[in-house]
Amino acid sequence: MTSFVKETTNLLSRTPALLRTLLIGLPEAWTDTPDTAEGWRPRDVVGHLITGEQTDWMVRTRRILEHGTSLAFVRFERFAMLERDAGVPLDQLVERFAELREANMTALRDLVTDADLDRRGLHPSLGEVTLRELLTTWAVHDLDHISQIYAGLAGSHDADVGPWKAYLGILLRREDPSAVAG
Amino acid sequence: MTSFVKETTNLLSRTPALLRTLLIGLPEAWTDTPDTAEGWRPRDVVGHLITGEQTDWMVRTRRILEHGTSLAFVRFERFAMLERDAGVPLDQLVERFAELREANMTALRDLVTDADLDRRGLHPSLGEVTLRELLTTWAVHDLDHISQIYAGLAGSHDADVGPWKAYLGILLRREDPSAVAG
């Protein structure tokens, strides 16, 4: 029998190695550009992921297990990293994230089994949610934000691809989200 | 002095390890969904990247060095993988890609220096392009298609995030490219 918790943890556990492989030691020529004009650089994304490990995912998991729907989650601080991480090198942010994620994976394995997945909590805006939805969102949130890192990396070299830009959706979408590559 | 070729190779050389870290052994529950309704599953994307290593990037690099603009590039077979890779397991496709990319990185290092970057070739649709543009496009093409893998992975769990979907741009954009997450 497959385990939903194990399959979700399988993906979540890959993110530290993935960010190390992608970002540690990568030249700044690649890493210093946001995904869109008003967007986030790779370092901002990693900072946002750090906030999630510190204050969101496992904190909410514990709240569901301890309080169910009787105590709503605290709102996610979506911009906490901008001040907190100023001046910290990207490589160091990646390692900070990796430590936090690895500790959270250990905690998750100790606390949650598939039998808990239908337990419910209370989101301050979205209302009732299940632990299954929380854990899946944790994983998809990783995927969403790592894609944002990719868009920033690509954007750093927007000026260097010449006429090929017409074929590169990742560049076209930075300027027009509905653009379709040729 | 920074070297453009070295900085580009730095990113290109990471893709084999990156795809291994992301995909090898990942449960099929995550890997069997295309990025959009008419899109590609992760295995199709890896297959497309294999085609690039076999028939595009280094072949075009050599053609620029040997023939300049006197002999146009051969068109990229964008769907070659669909028949060629039928039945080959995803893990095996990742390893096939990794071998080809690693060999191409060795060849690139032996063949090209920054002094060659302004040399020109002829693209069958786009006209004259430089070797700098070709190499940058190779790297950004990786980023573009790895993002597509991320969208497929996320899409596999679209039904499991519940009301959080409203916050997850990577899911919303699979259905409406201009969607903005809440």
Side-chain angles (χ1 to χ4, degrees), chain A residues 6-173:
Chain A
K6 276 192 190 149
E7 288 194 342
T8 307
T9 311
N10 187 311
L11 186 67
L12 284 166
S13 302
R14 291 168 189 251
T15 304
L18 198 120
L19 292 179
R20 285 182 178 126
T21 302
L22 182 60
L23 295 175
I24 296 273
L26 191 63
E28 260 192 36
W30 283 108
T31 60
D32 221 25
T33 304
D35 62 318
T36 63
E38 306 291 305
W40 286 350
R41 293 164 298 167
R43 54 174 293 108
D44 304 317
V45 176
V46 176
H48 175 72
L49 294 175
I50 287 172
T51 308
E53 298 307 304
Q54 288 176 324
T55 68
D56 190 301
W57 310 107
M58 277 310 295
V59 176
R60 291 180 173 188
T61 296
R62 289 195 180 90
R63 187 161 286 194
I64 289 176
L65 296 177
E66 289 166 19
H67 298 283
T69 56
S70 66
L71 186 62
F73 306 149
V74 175
R75 287 181 191 281
F76 198 125
E77 289 276 355
R78 294 181 65 200
F79 301 97
M81 69 288 181
L82 298 179
E83 193 167 329
R84 183 194 64 212
D85 299 338
V88 183
L90 174 59
D91 289 6
Q92 218 168 297
L93 293 174
V94 170
E95 291 302 340
R96 178 96 186 94
F97 166 77
E99 279 167 33
L100 291 164
R101 171 61 57 88
E102 283 155 12
N104 279 338
M105 290 296 97
T106 304
L108 183 66
R109 274 186 217 105
D110 288 347
L111 271 179
V112 175
T113 71
D114 279 16
D116 301 307
L117 289 170
D118 292 328
R119 295 176 71 168
R120 287 172 178 274
L122 189 62
H123 187 284
S125 307
L126 299 172
E128 284 202 10
V129 291
T130 66
L131 184 53
R132 177 193 303 270
E133 290 164 352
L134 177 68
L135 298 182
T136 310
T137 300
W138 188 359
V140 175
H141 181 267
D142 270 19
L143 300 172
D144 203 356
H145 285 290
I146 299 172
S147 283
Q148 197 178 6
I149 292 177
Y150 275 84
L153 298 179
S156 72
H157 282 61
D158 183 274
D160 297 314
V161 299
W164 267 293
K165 182 165 172 175
Y167 296 168
L168 293 165
I170 197 168
L171 293 180
L172 300 174
R173 287 189 298 272

Side-chain angles (χ1 to χ4, degrees), chain B residues 21-179:
Chain B
T21 301
L22 182 61
L23 296 175
I24 297 273
L26 191 64
E28 259 192 38
W30 283 107
T31 60
D32 221 26
T33 304
D35 61 318
T36 63
E38 306 291 306
W40 286 349
R41 292 165 298 167
R43 55 175 292 109
D44 305 317
V45 176
V46 176
H48 175 73
L49 294 175
I50 287 172
T51 308
E53 298 307 304
Q54 288 176 324
T55 68
D56 189 300
W57 310 107
M58 278 309 296
V59 175
R60 290 180 174 189
T61 296
R62 289 194 180 89
R63 187 159 284 193
I64 289 176
L65 297 176
E66 290 165 17
H67 299 282
T69 56
S70 68
L71 186 60
F73 305 149
V74 175
R75 286 181 193 282
F76 198 126
E77 289 276 357
R78 294 182 65 200
F79 302 96
M81 69 286 179
L82 297 179
E83 192 167 331
R84 183 194 64 213
D85 299 337
V88 183
L90 173 59
D91 288 7
Q92 217 167 299
L93 293 174
V94 170
E95 291 303 339
R96 179 99 186 92
F97 166 77
E99 279 168 32
L100 291 163
R101 171 61 57 89
E102 283 154 13
N104 279 339
M105 289 297 98
T106 303
L108 183 65
R109 273 185 218 105
D110 289 347
L111 271 179
V112 175
T113 72
D114 279 16
D116 300 308
L117 289 171
D118 292 327
R119 296 176 72 168
R120 288 172 177 275
L122 189 62
H123 187 283
S125 305
L126 299 172
E128 283 201 10
V129 291
T130 66
L131 183 53
R132 176 194 302 269
E133 290 164 353
L134 177 69
L135 299 183
T136 311
T137 299
W138 188 358
V140 176
H141 181 267
D142 271 18
L143 300 172
D144 203 357
H145 285 291
I146 299 171
S147 284
Q148 196 178 7
I149 292 177
Y150 275 84
L153 298 180
S156 72
H157 282 61
D158 183 276
D160 297 314
V161 299
W164 266 292
K165 182 165 172 176
Y167 296 168
L168 293 165
I170 196 168
L171 293 180
L172 300 174
R173 287 189 298 271
R174 295 178 72 241
E175 291 154 19
D176 172 6
S178 64

